[in-house]
Amino acid sequence: MIRRKPMRPYAEAATVKLFTRTFEPQPLRTDKQGFSEGRALTPAEREAIESKISLATWNGAPVMVGCCLPHHFLRYYDKAGRQIGEIAICFCCACIYGRPEPPGVAGNTALDFDPEALKAVMKGMGVRTDFGCEPAAADSPGA
């Protein structure tokens, strides 16, 4: 059995930016590792994204997924502009983790998210969610 509860990662952050990483050609590339320049989220965008992230507690150890090659990153910054945390997300295998882990993550409690709901939020923001996934998972008008 899994119990989930809402959470707000790095609640003290003054700014949250969304970064994507792909090795495909894209505008606004800022480095040779394929990271986008980052998009500062509005309070409404932050709320929409974070409302799909939760803490999940398992009876027993959490199940680890195989791929977990994240291509979406939420980076959290304090008022001075220093990064205080990061949430990494892989839509291909539905893994999520934080660095450093947000409060509440320990033992059999881990970050979790609703992949389809978060995909819908990202697509609504004009953000692709298919980087590095198999063609069947690619974003398309019917997906």
Side-chain angles (χ1 to χ4, degrees), residues 34-108:
F35 280 98
S36 65
E37 72 178 23
R39 169 184 176 166
L41 300 178
T42 66
E45 289 172 332
R46 178 180 180 177
E47 174 60 31
I49 289 171
E50 290 181 343
S51 72
K52 309 305 180 218
I53 298 172
S54 60
L55 285 175
T57 303
W58 285 261
N59 290 341
V63 176
M64 300 305 287
V65 294
C67 104
C68 204
L69 300 171
H71 289 83
H72 294 78
F73 302 86
L74 298 170
R75 294 189 179 149
Y76 294 79
Y77 301 87
D78 64 14
K79 290 179 183 175
R82 291 181 300 253
Q83 186 176 338
I84 58 173
E86 175 179 85
I87 301 290
I89 300 167
C90 177
F91 284 103
C92 302
C93 67
C95 83
I96 184 171
Y97 60 87
R99 293 183 283 209
E101 291 288 7
V105 175
N108 64 340

